[in-house]
Amino acid sequence: MERSMDRGTNLAIENAKALGLSTVWDRYEAQLPQCGFGETGLCCRNCMQGPCRISPFEDGPQRGVCGADADVMVARGLMRAVAAGTASHGGHAKHMAHTLLMVAKGQTGDYRITDTEKLKAVAERIGVEVNGASIEDIARGVALKALEEFSEKDSPLIWAGTTITQGRIERFSKLGVIPTGIDSVVSESMHRSTYGVDADPVNLLLGTIKCALADYASCHLATDLADILFGTPSPVKTAANLGVLKTEAVNIALHGHNPLLSEMIVQAAGSDDLKIMAREAGASEGINLVGVCCTGNEVMMRHGIPMATSSVSQESILLTGALDAIVVDYQCIMPALSSIAECLHTEIITTMPIAKISGAMHIEFDEAHALEKAREIIKAGIEAFKKRDPSRVKIPDISSPAVVGFSAEAIINALSTINSEDPLKPLIDNIVEGNIYGVCLFAGCNTVKIPQDRNYIAMIKELAKRNVLILATGCASGAFARHGFMSPEAVDGYAGEGLKTILKAIGESAGLGGPLPLVLHMGSCVDNTRAADVAVAIANKLGTDIDRLPVVASAPEPVTEKALAIGTWAVAAGLPTHVGVVPPVTGSRTVTEVLTSSVKELLGGWFIVEPDPMKAVEALYQALTERRKALGLKL
Ligand code: BF8
């Protein structure tokens, strides 16, 4: 099977072969055929009487040792996956909240409140007194409220309750799925899915939705606090693909998720003494930072740091032989990086006590001395540069220009240049008229199970041609950026006439000197909530709910438990949500039926499971058409 649609990645794979190194694709092939029980969710290791497997054939065992049937087994497995995803986003959000509190208390001099307007807006939204209060007091109030979100309270999560429509709140209340604590719902999910607790698949699925709503709150919280600390993104020009590495520079990749680390490295890399140190080491172009995965998205949209690669192809950046250090925090970091680095000069630098990798250098990050730690990391990169073997350097000369950084605020700002009184009006009018047939949010990862980027490329070409406005986050952004879809130039090549006209009109009126890019980059995976904010604003303005809007979501190449959590809250938010890889649920007819069909009655959204990208486009387009018809919009 073809491994990637990306030339840069394929060249790096060839380098791996030449060096006798294996990559994610080789390891995947070594695993084939993968276990059919695991693939369908029919394997349980929740107790030591197992592992149990349920036979897909009638004459085999239909229950595990405890008596759990296929439905219970699959529903419990899904709940645990969503809980793991929620724990990850929750951990990220909590880390931000602790740091904001440190800033408010003056316990760290390296972070500061960058966006005071956003701080005040969030404070007002969540009920923290703003009038007459100092910035530090407001920050303290916001941080404390944020930290309260994690344990069990007697009221709904504020970051969910204050950011969604009234209609959603009513639906969720009716179903009893409103979460009252982020960590507590993760803990509840682990409890109810353990041996001998919840054995009703539908009840388990409702619990899974409750957990996913806590995931939504964590993501929103993480985004809000990142904007407060580091600034709300606005459009910035950058580039993507392996060609952003430089032969004559110390190349340091920022990989992982939380901008608390990557922002400090960006700041430290600007210091003159470190730049001089890099030059003295022989790097005439100084220090070159590049991004990988979601923290790459964070620094790309705030500083224009180029994106080298993402998720499934993360090894490729080492295989160029030109990467001197890769600094990581947590999530989506392949342990394999360390074995590749063993054969090259690259320093893998772990920074978090919960995320060490054998063989890697560990420089423990500490928010109280963040800049000092960041400088230490950069110095380690400079030292590694000295060991680089120039004969091994093979940087593919491939990169695409991109314009990124479309936060909800940036979109509203751009729209307000057309109508300052009522910024959403031009967007809504164009949706009504059909210039924009609908909106599709692309999110999620790249998977080894699909030639990298294949689904993204196929789907965007078709949807853009049909005038669907495309938003993207996470590794979906990486895919589009690599292939040039995040550039204004792509508009002429791929957008349908209606979409082209509106992207040009907004881009020019907003002073971008050309159209908006074909894909609006909204950030990292936690930033999926930025897209939700836009949908909520439109729904509220129209006095309707999200499940009636012509808005859909797609994760065409999903991988992680986090992606499952996000997909589940997208469905709960009312969005028809496509996944291009079959999740491990097909062993249960009940679970599959609920998620792909009957959940529609309850929440308005549903999962569209479709590995074929063109069929997925048809299904999403049909969902948009149904909603346009129901609203009486032009077809
Ligand atoms: O949180 S898209 S592979 S990097 S999980 Fe991971 Fe998937 Fe990429 Fe960001 Ni999101």
Side-chain angles (χ1 to χ4, degrees), residues 89 92 255-257 292-295 297 310-312 314 330-333 443-446 456 473-477 524-526 528 557-564 566:
H89 289 139
H92 171 157
H255 180 12
H257 283 78
V292 180
C293 290
C294 278
T295 216
N297 277 306
S310 43
S311 61
V312 79
Q314 58 189 265
Y330 34 57
Q331 301 167 24
C332 305
I333 299 145
C445 330
N446 279 131
Y456 288 109
T473 59
C475 290
S477 309
S524 62
C525 285
V526 294
N528 280 306
E557 304 180 17
V559 169
T560 64
E561 290 160 319
K562 291 182 291 172
L564 276 178
I566 291 172

Side-chain angles (χ1 to χ4, degrees), residues 86-232:
T86 308
S88 311
H89 289 139
H92 171 157
K94 200 164 24 168
H95 196 167
M96 303 286 309
H98 279 298
T99 309
L100 182 64
L101 187 58
M102 286 176 80
V103 175
K105 288 181 172 174
Q107 291 170 340
T108 166
D110 296 336
Y111 296 97
R112 63 193 177 89
I113 309 295
T114 301
D115 191 340
T116 50
E117 286 311 303
K118 180 104 184 202
L119 173 70
K120 288 179 190 164
V122 171
E124 274 170 358
R125 197 189 71 217
I126 64 172
V128 169
E129 188 55 50
V130 168
N131 289 334
S134 69
I135 290 299
E136 289 69 30
D137 283 345
I138 303 172
R140 180 193 290 255
V142 170
L144 290 173
K145 285 248 186 199
L147 288 169
E148 280 171 15
E149 292 284 84
F150 291 90
S151 18
E152 185 71 31
K153 302 183 291 178
D154 53 11
S155 54
L157 287 176
I158 303 177
W159 259 269
T162 60
T163 57
I164 53 175
T165 58
Q166 193 52 38
R168 289 295 96 187
I169 294 175
E170 282 159 20
R171 291 248 193 158
F172 299 154
S173 303
K174 233 187 240 170
L175 293 170
V177 296
I178 294 198
T180 51
I182 296 167
D183 286 350
S184 67
V185 81
V186 170
S187 166
E188 177 187 294
S189 301
M190 293 308 284
H191 178 193
R192 67 197 283 181
S193 59
T194 196
Y195 178 85
V197 184
D198 204 342
D200 175 337
V202 174
N203 202 40
L204 279 159
L205 287 175
L206 288 171
T208 304
I209 289 166
K210 178 177 171 184
C211 191
L213 293 174
D215 185 78
Y216 165 81
S218 321
C219 290
H220 209 299
L221 209 166
T223 296
D224 282 346
L225 301 200
D227 286 355
I228 289 169
L229 287 170
F230 306 119
T232 303

Side-chain angles (χ1 to χ4, degrees), residues 162-461:
T162 60
T163 57
I164 53 175
T165 58
Q166 193 52 38
R168 289 295 96 187
I169 294 175
E170 282 159 20
R171 291 248 193 158
F172 299 154
S173 303
K174 233 187 240 170
L175 293 170
V177 296
I178 294 198
T180 51
I182 296 167
D183 286 350
S184 67
V185 81
V186 170
S187 166
E188 177 187 294
S189 301
M190 293 308 284
H191 178 193
R192 67 197 283 181
S193 59
T194 196
Y195 178 85
V197 184
D198 204 342
D200 175 337
V202 174
N203 202 40
L204 279 159
L205 287 175
L206 288 171
T208 304
I209 289 166
K210 178 177 171 184
C211 191
L213 293 174
D215 185 78
Y216 165 81
S218 321
C219 290
H220 209 299
L221 209 166
T223 296
D224 282 346
L225 301 200
D227 286 355
I228 289 169
L229 287 170
F230 306 119
T232 303
S234 56
V236 56
K237 282 186 185 163
T238 186
N241 216 325
L242 294 172
V244 302
L245 291 168
K246 294 180 182 169
T247 314
E248 299 303 329
V250 174
N251 291 306
I252 300 178
L254 311 170
H255 180 12
H257 283 78
N258 201 321
L260 286 172
L261 170 69
S262 53
E263 279 281 338
M264 283 300 117
I265 296 175
V266 172
Q267 204 174 311
S271 359
D272 287 339
D273 64 322
L274 290 177
K275 287 186 200 164
I276 292 169
M277 200 182 284
R279 286 202 192 96
E280 283 174 354
S284 59
E285 291 198 49
I287 300 163
N288 180 38
L289 299 182
V290 299
V292 180
C293 290
C294 278
T295 216
N297 277 306
E298 299 274 358
V299 291
M300 179 165 78
M301 66 180 170
R302 292 199 179 87
H303 304 284
I305 301 289
M307 175 75 83
T309 189
S310 43
S311 61
V312 79
S313 52
Q314 58 189 265
E315 292 157 294
S316 68
I317 185 168
L318 278 74
L319 291 163
T320 61
L323 186 69
D324 304 302
I326 180 162
V327 50
V328 304
D329 53 10
Y330 34 57
Q331 301 167 24
C332 305
I333 299 145
M334 287 187 199
L337 293 184
S338 158
S339 27
I340 295 212
E342 266 173 26
C343 307
L344 297 162
H345 75 292
T346 314
E347 202 71 75
I348 311 286
I349 305 173
T350 56
T351 56
M352 298 290 150
I354 61 158
K356 297 187 179 181
I357 302 175
S358 334
M361 173 189 275
H362 187 74
I363 299 178
E364 189 136 321
F365 195 63
D366 160 12
E367 291 72 28
H369 305 95
L371 211 46
E372 193 184 311
K373 291 291 173 181
R375 289 173 57 82
E376 209 180 310
I377 288 164
I378 291 179
K379 284 180 193 166
I382 297 173
E383 280 309 305
F385 169 83
K386 293 179 188 166
K387 294 182 232 150
R388 191 196 286 177
D389 176 354
S391 70
R392 284 195 165 172
V393 173
K394 285 189 182 136
I395 304 174
D397 185 18
I398 299 167
S399 80
S400 301
V403 176
V404 301
F406 290 89
S407 55
E409 290 85 343
I411 292 177
I412 301 291
N413 280 346
L415 290 168
S416 66
T417 61
I418 295 184
N419 186 335
S420 59
E421 298 287 296
D422 191 357
L424 285 175
K425 191 167 184 300
L427 182 61
I428 292 172
D429 287 350
N430 277 284
I431 292 175
V432 170
E433 285 305 312
N435 288 332
I436 296 175
Y437 196 77
V439 180
C440 182
L441 166 66
F442 278 92
C445 330
N446 279 131
T447 167
V448 74
K449 295 186 171 182
I450 294 170
Q452 183 190 21
D453 301 339
R454 183 199 67 187
N455 286 2
Y456 288 109
I457 297 171
M459 291 178 73
I460 192 179
K461 284 185 181 169

